[in-house]
Amino acid sequence: MRWVVLAVAMVWGASAAAQERRPSHCIALADAAPGIEYLHKANWQDPVPDYSVRLSYIAHASFLLQTPGGITAVTDFTGFIGSAPLIPDVVTMNHAHETHWTAHPDPAIPHVLPGWGPFGEGIEHHLDLGEMLIRNVSTDIRSSFAGVEEKGNSIFVFEVEGLCIGHLGHLHHVPTEAQFAALGRLDVVMAAVDGGTTMPLPDMIKVLKRLKSSIIIPMHWFSTYSLGAFTVGIQDEFPVQRDGVSEIEVSLRTLPDRPTVVVLEPQYLIEQE
């Protein structure tokens, strides 16, 4: 009987370990991983390789994050991600505009994280799903009446597979020193590059130069003109990669050895046979 109990305990322990989150280095900076390869193209329906995260650009400011263990999260969720019958485990939202949130998320979604609280008070999230930790850093946005809503936007940070992935949301200003410190080191960052409704391009480029994330993914671009203005403005500092894909897989081993802009093409999720 003792051996049966021991065997059960060993199986349970192995299962629990498989769901543990690899420690990230968001706050404590780590050395670059040796043997760097590069990014891999992917399909959102394929299994996610071990130690990797898949990022799929859906539309505007919405991205799908997928883990090897099957956790799914959608950023700046509007209620529509395409015709695929996917119910995410987590959705995050910001409310600067209706294209970043929905008042009626599907009640089947287990975790709905708004990036705002009562006016001017902000909100705090620290959702630990084992394989993925989701937290936020609040920033200010312009209010509907040309004023300022303090802490009305959230930069969401996803810590998964040793990576720190940040989504800047509808950022309207250069973060403060305290906000940069709270963010920590972001390996991957999704940044709005419209140059107007969020913040001027020179300011956003200043933010990205400060963050020095290994992968910078432009979002919230309304035309090839606005995207082009951003890539031209930053290409002297960081190389730009555009392969015409909507999804990539990234891991600590495949991070570029210098900050790189990776342009993804938005594509709604459809189920493929």
Side-chain angles (χ1 to χ4, degrees):
M1 182 65 181
R2 185 180 65 179
W3 295 109
V4 173
V5 172
L6 178 59
V8 171
M10 291 175 66
V11 171
W12 181 88
S15 175
Q19 298 302 316
E20 291 180 357
R21 184 175 62 257
R22 297 183 71 197
S24 68
H25 55 262
C26 286
I27 303 301
L29 300 186
D31 293 334
I36 290 172
E37 298 166 8
Y38 212 62
L39 311 177
H40 296 286
K41 299 178 183 178
N43 182 290
W44 78 270
Q45 289 179 282
D46 294 337
V48 180
D50 290 341
Y51 313 119
S52 301
V53 180
R54 178 177 300 134
L55 303 172
S56 302
Y57 189 18
I58 299 173
H60 200 55
S62 294
F63 290 82
L64 170 67
L65 286 75
Q66 297 171 275
T67 73
I71 293 177
T72 55
V74 174
T75 65
D76 278 25
F77 180 68
T78 64
F80 181 73
I81 58 176
S83 60
L86 173 67
I87 302 295
D89 296 300
V90 185
V91 298
T92 65
M93 301 188 296
N94 277 300
H95 74 159
H97 298 290
E98 62 183 7
T99 50
H100 296 259
W101 73 292
T102 176
H104 306 287
D106 191 323
I109 299 172
H111 304 283
V112 177
L113 308 183
W116 68 95
F119 189 89
E121 296 183 17
I123 195 168
E124 291 187 9
H125 295 292
H126 193 277
L127 177 63
D128 192 339
L129 299 177
E131 192 182 19
M132 176 185 286
L133 171 70
I134 305 171
R135 59 185 175 87
N136 72 307
V137 176
S138 293
T139 62
D140 302 342
I141 59 173
R142 293 180 292 275
S143 70
S144 302
F145 304 101
V148 174
E149 179 182 354
E150 295 182 358
K151 301 182 178 180
N153 175 71
S154 278
I155 298 174
F156 282 96
V157 179
F158 303 81
E159 299 186 26
V160 55
E161 293 300 331
L163 295 163
C164 299
I165 302 172
H167 185 285
L168 299 185
H170 215 273
L171 185 64
H172 286 182
H173 61 88
V174 175
T176 65
E177 292 299 317
Q179 289 165 337
F180 274 121
L183 286 175
R185 163 67 182 176
L186 299 180
D187 299 295
V188 182
V189 64
M190 295 87 125
V193 300
D194 56 276
T197 59
T198 53
M199 57 194 296
L201 276 183
D203 288 346
M204 179 56 76
I205 291 174
K206 177 181 178 181
V207 170
L208 296 175
K209 287 181 178 180
R210 167 70 181 269
L211 290 173
K212 292 184 178 178
S213 300
S214 296
I215 299 174
I216 299 161
I217 303 178
M219 66 174 183
H220 208 265
W221 42 275
F222 299 101
S223 66
T224 54
Y225 175 82
S226 60
L227 176 62
F230 167 72
T231 56
V232 168
I234 204 170
Q235 65 185 3
D236 288 342
E237 187 78 16
F238 305 141
V240 177
Q241 174 184 333
R242 187 172 189 178
D243 294 333
V245 299
S246 61
E247 301 154 338
I248 57 170
E249 288 165 0
V250 62
S251 68
L252 284 174
R253 286 188 56 82
T254 62
L255 290 175
D257 59 1
R258 59 174 295 194
T260 300
V261 176
V262 177
V263 179
L264 298 181
E265 312 299 331
Q267 180 176 311
Y268 287 112
L269 302 181
I270 58 174
E271 191 169 22
Q272 300 175 352
E273 298 182 359

